Amino acid sequence: MGDRARGAVLYGCAAVLLAGGATWWVWAAPRDAAVDPTIERWRQTAMRLLPDQPEQDDADMLALAPETDHQVLAKVDGGNYRVSVVCVGGARSQVRVSLGEAGTDSGHGLDCADGAVRDRFDVATSGRLRMFVSVNDAGPVVFRYTLLRRGD
């Protein structure tokens, strides 16, 4: 085989590899997930029940599946904070919010059934706040929290 033939084979193989890689890249790209209208409605309800405030130090909203444990870690300055939480979900759905290590304290339970109300409690931190959120088997739920610094 001559140099020209080897070059043609080499370029042909490179073109096939490039085409195959491009095809895989397009095929494997994540698709826009369809948003469940129920979850979107629960997100809007959670935002209405616990809106953002200009002076808040941290806030987040999470859609959590049934029987899920999730850790929330907020980096804040040391001091006293008011933690406001709300959970919105279907019938019999509940979450348990714990501030200790997972499984070391019983935490605070929240009902998430439609029309849920927000709850709040005060905590002192030394630079970060760790919350463990556990969802019962009747999920999914939307959980929202805000942190607001309290005067010392």
Side-chain angles (χ1 to χ4, degrees):
M1 183 184 292
D3 287 342
R4 284 193 159 190
R6 274 190 291 217
V9 169
L10 183 61
Y11 284 122
C13 288
V16 167
L17 257 154
L18 182 62
T23 302
W24 171 83
W25 186 77
V26 169
W27 181 78
R31 307 287 185 255
D32 288 337
V35 176
D36 182 347
T38 304
I39 297 293
E40 187 56 36
R41 189 180 79 240
W42 291 345
R43 283 182 187 272
Q44 291 171 2
T45 300
M47 190 57 104
R48 182 178 44 79
L49 291 171
L50 190 56
D52 282 330
Q53 299 174 16
E55 63 275 2
Q56 72 192 19
D57 290 278
D58 193 30
D60 200 4
M61 186 172 346
L62 309 163
L64 300 170
E67 297 182 348
T68 300
D69 295 325
H70 184 81
Q71 176 180 302
V72 174
L73 185 61
K75 294 182 181 178
V76 292
D77 294 332
N80 296 317
Y81 288 86
R82 167 147 299 156
V83 180
S84 298
V85 294
V86 68
C87 174
V88 183
R92 300 182 331 272
S93 59
Q94 298 176 331
V95 298
R96 183 155 294 282
V97 180
S98 172
L99 295 177
E101 290 297 322
T104 61
D105 70 45
S106 63
H108 184 76
L110 293 168
D111 286 325
C112 304
D114 285 328
V117 296
R118 71 183 196 174
D119 198 4
R120 61 184 179 204
F121 48 91
D122 294 331
V123 298
T125 70
S126 62
R128 68 179 174 174
L129 177 69
R130 181 185 318 229
M131 289 188 292
F132 292 95
V133 181
S134 299
V135 182
N136 71 350
D137 60 351
V141 301
V142 171
F143 175 79
R144 175 161 168 77
Y145 75 91
T146 62
L147 296 177
L148 180 65
R149 187 171 179 97
R150 306 266 302 158
D152 295 317

